[in-house]
Each structure stands twice: as C-alpha cells, then as structure tokens.
C-alpha cells in the first residue's frame, strides 16, 4: 500500500482552524469568573446595590427577580427589557405584561452607574439583571446559585416579542406548559419557577378576573380580595402574592392546596392536572423546592445570551451606545 504524505503546511492550517473554532466556542461560553480580572469588584457592587434597594423597599426584591424573568423570556437574557423606546423601535416596557408593572429599572441604573465609575465599559446590563435576581432571592431568604457571567447587551427590543413570549396571569395550565416548553423548560421547572411568586405584591388588574369569576377559589379568600379589588377601578391596588411576601419560602405552594392562589395561572398548577403532584412535593419538601428553583433559575439565566462580539456593553442601560 502506498503511503500518503500530508504536507506540513496543511497540518499547520488545520491546527489553526481547530484553534480558531475552539476559541470561538470558548468565547461563547459564560463563566462564573468572567469579571475576576476586568472588574473584580463587580459582584460586590451589585450585591450592595441590591441590599440597599431592598432595605429601602422590601418589595423591590421581587421586582428585580421578575425583571430578570421578563428579560430572559423575550429573545434571551440580553438586557433588552431595559431599553427605552426610540424613534426606530418600540421596546418591551409597554408590552401587555410589563406596562405599568415592570419595576427596578432605577435600581439597575444606579448599580450600572457605580460600575461605570469602577470599571467603565466592562459589565453588561444583562449581567447586572441576572446577578441582581440571585442576590434579591438570597436577601429574602431564598436559595443561591452561581450566576454565569459574560452576557452582552442587545441593541434593540421588541414589543411584539414581549407580547408573544411572556405568560399571563390568566393562562390555563396548557398555555403555561406550552409557553415554558418553548423555552426548553419541563413541567417541573415551570412549577419551580412559578414559586418565585412567593415574594412580592400584585396589582388588582392581574387577579380581578379570578376573584370574581373562578370557581376553584376559597370563598373567604375571594371575598377578602374583593374588598381590595373592586369590579371596576382600583387597578393598581396591591395585595401580597402570599401571606409572607417579604420571605422566600414555600408558602405559595401551601396556598395552592387551599385554593388560595392569587392568579388564575397560579391555581392552575394545582387544579386536578398533571402538575398537582409537583405542587404537593414542594408543599411538603421545601428543601426540594429551593434546589429546583435555584437549578431552574440558573438554566433560565442562560437562555440565549449574547456573547463574544455580539451586542455591546451599554454605558447607559436605557439606551444603546
């Protein structure tokens, strides 16, 4: 058999191509130590900002957690939710799920300003949102997880994408399962992430239909809420998501067993359907809920990030550079 000799120049060319491919793959990966050299104080600055915001208003912890969720479910965790409307696009802030309800933008702006003073042009707004969600959960007594870093910021936003991708408070179980499945989440992860409703407050307009029209609701619970949320008017009147709105616990799931879920979509998780057993598991095993929530949050924070040369590091989170 004739032996074929491959020129050394081809070996070198192949090696260069392989190195380039591997380099491209590594640049597209997030890591826990992304800012360890470029901005070593990044995580402590974000944490301090979150703690200060929650001390000023405890509800802000829930708002920052929700901000991250509403960012990631619309074209990935790219900070697009932070972009204000411009003459060239209408962003996500006035979408059905965000209009008059999205909160915490000023907290992110304040943290970003501090980071720009310490290490200009280094830390993305998308990463700030991701870390702030984790820190908020921890401050309110919830689990922690290692946030992977290195996201870059989107240069555009879309109101239609927000309207089409964010689940609503009146969704039934089928719609919830479909919405989360589109983003790669299982039924168990859907229930775990819904447990984030254990903190914070909700506006009357989001639960009015449930307390006047649903049958799978505790009558005394409905009656008490009707005193806060009339059939008309009072859209922005607030009520706690569960009896312990400033503490991250499993009280949310205990309420579902009593037919006291605040949103129609909440109670759908325990209404004779496929997720009933998961709700029971989290009701009687809070440690399992905590672990599953942390795992699901880590997975969610890795939805479609912009990395490498994609996007940009915004200097101001509300507008592109």
């Amino acid at each position: 058999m004739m032996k074929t000799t491959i020129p050394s120049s081809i070996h070198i060319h192949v090696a260069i191509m392989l190195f380039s491919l591997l380099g491209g793959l590594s640049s597209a990966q997030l890591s826990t130590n992304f800012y360890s050299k470029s901005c070593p104080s990044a995580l402590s600055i974000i944490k301090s900002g979150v703690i200060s915001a929650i001390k000023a208003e405890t509800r802000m912890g829930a708002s920052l957690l929700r901000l991250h969720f509403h960012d990631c479910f619309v074209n990935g965790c790219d900070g697009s939710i932070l972009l204000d409307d411009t003459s060239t696009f209408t962003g996500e802030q006035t979408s059905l799920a965000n209009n008059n309800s999205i909160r915490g933008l000023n907290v992110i702006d304040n943290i970003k300003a501090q980071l720009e003073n310490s290490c200009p042009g280094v830390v993305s707004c998308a990463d700030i949102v991701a870390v702030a969600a984790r820190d908020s959960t921890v401050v309110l007594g919830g689990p922690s997880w290692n946030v992977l870093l290195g996201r870059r910021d989107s240069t555009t936003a879309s109101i239609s994408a927000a309207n089409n991708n964010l689940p609503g408070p009146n969704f039934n179980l089928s719609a919830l399962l479909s919405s989360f499945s589109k983003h790669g989440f299982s039924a168990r992860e859907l229930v775990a992430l819904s447990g984030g409703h254990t903190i914070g407050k909700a506006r009357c307009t989001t639960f009015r239909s449930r307390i006047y029209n649903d049958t799978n609701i505790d009558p005394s619970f409905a009656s008490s809420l009707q005193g806060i949320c009339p059939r008309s008017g009072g859209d922005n009147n607030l009520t706690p998501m569960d009896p312990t709105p400033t503490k991250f616990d499993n009280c949310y799931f205990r309420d579902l067993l009593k037919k006291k879920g605040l949103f129609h979509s909440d109670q759908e998780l325990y209404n004779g359907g496929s997720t009933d057993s998961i709700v029971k598991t989290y009701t009687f095993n809070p440690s399992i809920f905590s672990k599953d929530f942390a795992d699901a949050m880590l997975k969610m924070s890795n939805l479609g990030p912009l990395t490498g040369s994609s996007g940009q590091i915004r200097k101001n989170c509300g507008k592109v550079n």
Side-chain angles (χ1 to χ4, degrees):
M1 181 180 293
M2 183 179 293
K3 184 177 180 181
T4 302
T5 303
I6 300 175
S8 59
S9 61
I10 294 180
H11 280 300
I12 295 172
H13 182 64
V14 170
I16 292 173
M17 285 182 64
L18 182 59
F19 180 81
S20 297
L21 284 170
L22 290 174
L25 287 172
S26 63
S27 68
Q29 302 300 312
L30 304 179
S31 65
T32 56
N33 61 352
F34 189 82
Y35 298 114
S36 60
K37 293 182 178 179
S38 59
C39 189
S41 61
L43 292 179
S44 61
I45 290 174
I46 297 172
K47 184 177 181 179
S48 295
V50 169
I51 291 173
S52 295
I54 293 177
K55 280 185 177 179
E57 183 196 8
T58 312
R59 182 187 172 207
M60 188 53 69
S63 298
L64 291 171
L65 177 60
R66 182 174 185 261
L67 187 67
H68 183 39
F69 172 75
H70 281 220
D71 182 32
C72 293
F73 258 52
V74 182
N75 298 328
C77 308
D78 59 1
S80 57
I81 196 171
L82 307 174
L83 285 173
D84 299 325
D85 294 353
T86 71
S87 58
T88 58
F89 69 83
T90 302
E92 301 163 23
Q93 295 176 19
T94 54
S95 66
L96 295 173
N98 293 330
N99 195 32
N100 295 322
S101 70
I102 206 71
R103 304 174 76 248
L105 301 177
N106 59 324
V107 176
I108 301 300
D109 286 343
N110 290 339
I111 293 172
K112 176 62 173 176
Q114 293 180 52
L115 287 167
E116 285 299 302
N117 284 333
S118 294
C119 28
V122 174
V123 183
S124 69
C125 300
D127 273 350
I128 297 172
V129 173
V131 175
R134 187 272 311 277
D135 290 349
S136 293
T137 302
V138 173
V139 170
L140 296 179
S144 183
W145 58 94
N146 290 321
V147 180
L148 301 180
L149 304 166
R151 298 167 193 77
R152 289 169 64 84
D153 297 321
S154 170
T155 55
T156 188
S158 166
I159 188 171
S160 60
N163 283 333
N164 292 327
N165 285 283
L166 291 171
N170 294 315
F171 272 27
N172 61 24
L173 181 58
S174 176
L176 288 169
L177 290 168
S178 175
S179 175
F180 278 72
S181 177
K182 287 177 183 177
H183 293 89
F185 291 103
S186 66
R188 189 180 183 96
E189 289 167 331
L190 155 64
V191 178
L193 289 172
S194 297
H197 285 174
T198 185
I199 54 175
K201 297 180 179 180
R203 296 181 303 146
C204 166
T205 185
T206 60
F207 60 84
R208 176 183 284 123
S209 177
R210 168 155 167 76
I211 63 176
Y212 288 104
N213 301 319
D214 281 7
T215 56
N216 62 335
I217 187 170
D218 178 83
S220 62
F221 178 64
S223 179
S224 67
L225 290 173
Q226 288 168 8
I228 300 169
C229 183
R231 287 185 180 273
S232 62
D235 285 1
N236 293 321
N237 292 350
L238 297 171
T239 196
M241 293 294 295
D242 78 8
T244 57
T246 61
K247 182 181 179 183
F248 195 100
D249 54 23
N250 71 333
C251 196
Y252 166 83
F253 297 108
R254 298 200 298 266
D255 272 2
L256 296 186
L257 266 61
K258 302 172 186 175
K259 296 187 178 182
K260 292 183 178 181
L262 184 59
F263 294 160
H264 177 83
S265 58
D266 290 327
Q267 197 59 57
E268 280 288 288
L269 300 178
Y270 190 78
N271 192 31
S274 59
T275 53
D276 281 15
S277 61
I278 307 170
V279 171
K280 284 185 177 178
T281 295
Y282 294 158
T283 299
F284 299 109
N285 299 276
S287 60
I288 295 178
F289 162 55
S290 290
K291 181 184 184 305
D292 285 0
F293 181 82
D295 290 345
M297 284 298 297
L298 177 59
K299 179 176 176 177
M300 187 188 77
S301 69
N302 294 333
L303 288 176
L306 297 174
T307 58
S309 59
S310 300
Q312 62 180 213
I313 305 298
R314 283 187 229 133
K315 298 176 182 177
N316 180 324
C317 290
K319 60 182 181 180
V320 298
N321 296 339

